[in-house]
């Protein structure tokens, strides 16, 4: 068959094929040339990423394994993953902590995952810039969370600790430490932040808040029956209750013409913030001051049970303070300053059972770290699980040893339960005073023993004793 007439078409086809091949090769070459050298790692499943892996490791009580497995496989400095639907770089070790803390607003800015915003914050305000939110938040610290102001709240904390122990501990032979510590810290926050004293009104916030925080670090699937769905529903209830309370306080301020704030909500109202903005801030303060502090108290009680010699030394320190007080005289700032060893015990408890896992950031520009490029828009995460049990920083890391925190304490950026840099937790001093005041009252009134020494611990997202840490009480 004569195919000469097809030759021009075949030539054109070959030329076209070769051209397409050349274009493809050039594209691949250029793509490789411009693709940044991102940290090694894997993205996991579509949408879910490695969120399920992280959640499962946490539920098993070993969140640090998620980190150590990947630092061993990919890089000890930084690795790539995908959590909560976002490309994410996990910064590890003291150097990683230092870089993120010192790079605030230069390389990174604060960031909340969409799932957390959806669960706890008002939908109309979730797009506010984190940098702007952070600046606003700190504008309200001077009257409340600065150490010089918190000194005046120590007697209130002391009185509330005594009332709590009278009502919920002294009447019983057995108690569950974790739910009771949550009740105490939540009641204290309600009183100091919102002037809420009524137990029934406190309970209106406490129940949905527990559901909401349980879904903070969960697979973000908003379907009926999921942890995340329950968190979203609970968040709506919290916002409704807060809005009603804030509106009521606003009307009271206007009616009475008050010019002096009695609590955090009053202060923000007087400074012209909207009810929605105030609600978001209060939620943030509750997360920082309630869940994490109650977890710390629970594990201090647990470790004091396990180590009688350490318990006796704490008791001696606290009894010396008690003997220096007059009848009915509340704790003062000078007393808190004497609780040095007790705070070492608290720090060691927070090292082994960290109340908070870390915090998120967002890259605001391309930057390089440890030889890898972090693209603008990527999310970053620093985590205590890369340092707290790292034998390079803490020899014999599983041993409970409060002496690690005596003298100069651990090396910088190795123990960061409250973060660091410009974004250090504003409630650090509040938490310290709350913890020490409670432990003082507890050890000077009671002795205790665990009912289940082998109780399992899971992280949801903070460490939680699965049975609530049941103990048997007796008078000291």
């Amino acid at each position: 068959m004569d195919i000469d007439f097809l030759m021009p078409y075949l030539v054109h086809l070959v030329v076209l094929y070769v051209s397409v091949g050349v274009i493809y090769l050039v594209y691949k070459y250029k793509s490789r040339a411009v693709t940044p050298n991102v940290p090694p790692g894997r993205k996991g499943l579509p949408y879910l990423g490695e969120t399920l892996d992280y959640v499962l490791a946490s539920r098993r009580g070993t969140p640090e394994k998620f980190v150590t497995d990947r630092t061993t496989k990919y890089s000890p400095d930084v690795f790539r993953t995908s959590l909560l639907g976002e490309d994410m770089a996990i910064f590890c070790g003291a150097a990683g902590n230092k870089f993120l803390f010192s790079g605030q607003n230069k390389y990174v800015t604060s960031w909340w995952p969409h799932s957390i915003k959806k669960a706890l914050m008002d939908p109309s305000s979730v797009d506010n810039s984190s940098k702007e939110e952070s600046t606003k938040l700190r504008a309200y610290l001077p009257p409340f969370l600065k150490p010089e102001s918190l000194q005046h709240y120590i007697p209130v904390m002391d009185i509330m600790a005594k009332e709590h122990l009278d009502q919920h501990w002294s009447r019983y032979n057995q108690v569950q430490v974790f739910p009771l510590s949550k009740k105490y810290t939540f009641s204290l926050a309600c009183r100091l932040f919102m002037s809420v004293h009524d137990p029934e009104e406190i309970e209106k916030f406490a129940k949905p808040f527990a559901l909401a925080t349980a879904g903070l670090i969960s697979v973000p699937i908003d379907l009926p029956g999921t942890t995340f769905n329950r968190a979203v529903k609970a968040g709506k209830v919290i916002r409704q209750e807060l809005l009603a309370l804030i509106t009521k306080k606003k009307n009271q301020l206007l009616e009475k013409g008050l010019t002096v704030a009695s609590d955090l909500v009053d202060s923000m109202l007087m400074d012209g913030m909207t009810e929605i903005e105030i609600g978001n801030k209060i939620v943030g303060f509750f997360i920082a001051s309630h869940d994490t502090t109650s977890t710390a108290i629970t594990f201090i009680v647990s470790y004091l049970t396990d180590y009688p010699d350490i318990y006796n030394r704490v008791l001696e320190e606290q009894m010396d303070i008690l003997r220096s007080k007059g009848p009915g005289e509340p704790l003062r700032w000078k007393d808190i300053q004497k609780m040095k060893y007790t705070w070492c015990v608290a720090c060691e408890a927070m090292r082994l059972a960290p109340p908070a896992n870390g915090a998120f950031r967002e890259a605001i520009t391309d930057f390089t770290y440890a030889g890898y490029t972090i693209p603008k828009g990527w999310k970053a995460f620093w985590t205590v699980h890369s340092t707290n049990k790292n034998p390079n920083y803490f020899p014999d890391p599983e041993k409970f040893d409060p002496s690690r925190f005596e003298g100069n304490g651990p090396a910088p950026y190795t123990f960061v339960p409250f973060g660091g840099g410009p974004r250090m937790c504003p409630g650090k001093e509040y938490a310290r005073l709350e913890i020490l005041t409670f432990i003082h009252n507890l050890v000077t009134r009671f002795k205790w023993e665990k009912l289940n020494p082998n109780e399992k611990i899971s992280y949801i997202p903070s460490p939680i004793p699965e049975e609530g840490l049941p103990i048997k009480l007796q008078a000291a």
Side-chain angles (χ1 to χ4, degrees):
M1 182 174 64
D2 186 5
I3 61 170
D4 288 346
F5 74 96
L6 293 177
M7 288 305 295
Y9 298 101
L10 291 174
V11 170
H12 284 297
L13 186 61
V14 170
V15 170
L16 179 62
Y17 179 80
V18 171
S19 299
V20 170
V22 170
I23 292 171
Y24 175 76
L25 291 173
V26 169
Y27 169 77
K28 290 292 288 183
Y29 174 79
K30 288 186 175 181
S31 296
R32 288 182 178 178
V34 299
T35 299
N37 179 32
V38 298
R42 60 189 292 267
K43 294 186 66 174
L45 299 171
Y47 182 68
L48 293 178
E50 294 192 293
T51 305
L52 191 58
D53 295 332
Y54 183 75
V55 169
L56 289 175
S58 298
R59 293 296 174 99
R60 296 186 187 112
T62 56
E64 67 275 5
K65 192 174 186 302
F66 179 87
V67 176
T68 55
D69 284 354
R70 286 156 181 78
T71 54
T72 302
K73 183 175 182 179
Y74 299 120
S75 166
D77 303 307
V78 59
F79 65 86
R80 176 190 188 179
T81 185
S82 176
L83 296 176
L84 304 173
E86 299 281 352
D87 283 327
M88 198 165 294
I90 309 296
F91 285 70
C92 303
N97 292 340
K98 181 179 180 180
F99 182 87
L100 284 186
F101 297 159
S102 60
Q104 181 72 20
N105 300 329
K106 181 180 180 183
Y107 301 117
V108 295
T109 190
S110 303
W111 177 78
W112 287 95
H114 175 71
S115 56
I116 294 179
K117 290 180 179 180
K118 185 174 181 179
L120 287 174
M121 299 181 182
D122 191 278
S124 64
S125 63
V126 297
D127 291 329
N128 289 349
S129 108
S130 295
K131 182 177 179 181
E132 178 186 350
E133 291 292 295
S134 172
T135 302
K136 283 184 179 180
L137 185 64
R138 279 157 175 74
Y140 301 102
L141 298 186
F144 295 96
L145 296 182
K146 290 292 181 71
E148 57 269 24
S149 299
L150 281 170
Q151 295 179 26
H152 303 296
Y153 293 112
I154 295 172
V156 176
M157 292 180 175
D158 186 36
I159 291 169
M160 285 197 66
K162 287 178 169 62
E163 291 175 350
H164 171 81
L165 292 173
D166 285 340
Q167 184 175 356
H168 300 289
W169 294 61
S170 61
R171 302 177 184 181
Y172 307 97
N173 293 324
Q174 297 179 6
V175 297
Q176 288 177 297
V177 177
F178 184 60
L180 287 182
S181 65
K182 288 171 74 74
K183 181 181 286 289
Y184 166 70
T185 58
F186 199 84
S187 297
L188 183 61
C190 284
R191 181 165 178 175
L192 295 183
F193 296 163
M194 305 185 298
S195 298
V196 173
H197 300 252
D198 180 30
E200 291 185 5
E201 192 171 359
I202 291 171
E203 197 65 17
K204 287 182 182 179
F205 292 103
K207 285 185 177 179
F209 194 84
L211 289 173
T213 53
L216 289 183
I217 304 296
S218 62
V219 178
I221 297 176
D222 191 6
L223 293 176
T226 63
T227 302
F228 183 66
N229 178 259
R230 289 192 291 270
V232 171
K233 289 181 177 178
K236 291 179 181 177
V237 174
I238 294 169
R239 291 194 296 273
Q240 290 171 355
E241 294 292 339
L242 276 177
L243 182 61
L245 181 142
I246 294 165
T247 301
K248 179 181 177 181
K249 289 179 70 64
K250 182 178 181 179
N251 292 334
Q252 289 174 342
L253 288 177
L254 293 173
E255 290 172 4
K256 298 179 180 180
L258 299 177
T259 57
V260 178
S262 61
D263 55 37
L264 186 60
V265 171
D266 284 353
S267 178
M268 290 190 279
L269 282 168
M270 289 177 178
D271 282 350
M273 291 183 65
T274 68
E275 288 89 334
I276 290 175
E277 287 177 322
I278 294 171
N280 285 343
K281 300 295 182 299
I282 291 296
V283 167
F285 277 122
F286 269 102
I287 293 173
S289 65
H290 160 56
D291 248 30
T292 52
T293 309
S294 58
T295 298
I297 288 173
T298 298
F299 281 90
I300 294 167
V301 173
S302 176
Y303 284 117
L304 286 176
T305 314
D306 296 338
Y307 299 93
D309 55 330
I310 293 173
Y311 166 85
N312 288 331
R313 189 170 168 186
V314 168
L315 177 61
E316 181 182 359
E317 182 177 78
Q318 298 300 335
M319 289 302 296
D320 285 344
I321 294 169
L322 183 63
R323 285 190 286 266
S324 71
K325 311 295 292 180
E329 182 185 357
L331 291 172
R332 305 286 181 186
W333 176 252
K334 65 178 181 179
D335 303 313
I336 298 294
Q337 299 308 97
K338 296 176 183 177
M339 301 181 188
K340 291 182 171 57
Y341 184 72
T342 305
W343 185 242
C344 290
V345 172
C347 289
E348 181 68 343
M350 288 188 285
R351 182 186 71 83
L352 286 172
N357 293 314
F360 297 98
R361 300 287 189 268
E362 181 177 21
I364 54 179
T365 184
D366 292 352
F367 64 87
T368 300
Y369 177 75
Y372 300 107
T373 298
I374 312 298
K376 179 181 178 180
W378 265 40
K379 307 307 181 284
F381 186 68
W382 65 264
T383 171
V384 296
H385 298 302
S386 72
T387 56
N388 281 13
K389 293 184 179 181
N390 188 326
N392 295 324
Y393 307 132
F394 298 99
D396 197 2
E398 295 292 340
K399 180 182 178 182
F400 187 81
D401 182 8
S403 68
R404 302 178 197 272
F405 294 89
E406 294 181 321
N408 293 328
Y413 301 103
T414 59
F415 179 69
V416 287
F418 301 101
R423 283 292 297 165
M424 178 178 284
C425 175
K428 175 184 177 181
E429 189 62 15
Y430 174 90
R432 188 177 79 94
L433 299 181
E434 186 176 21
I435 290 168
L436 291 175
T437 300
F438 187 85
I439 295 300
H440 167 82
N441 282 282
L442 183 66
V443 300
T444 55
R445 292 184 60 175
F446 300 105
K447 294 179 180 178
W448 61 89
E449 60 184 65
K450 290 182 182 179
L451 293 177
N452 181 3
N454 300 313
E455 184 176 5
K456 292 183 179 180
I457 306 299
S458 60
Y459 282 69
I460 320 173
S462 298
I464 294 177
E466 292 188 355
E467 298 173 27
L469 187 59
I471 59 172
K472 183 179 180 179
L473 283 175
Q474 66 181 74

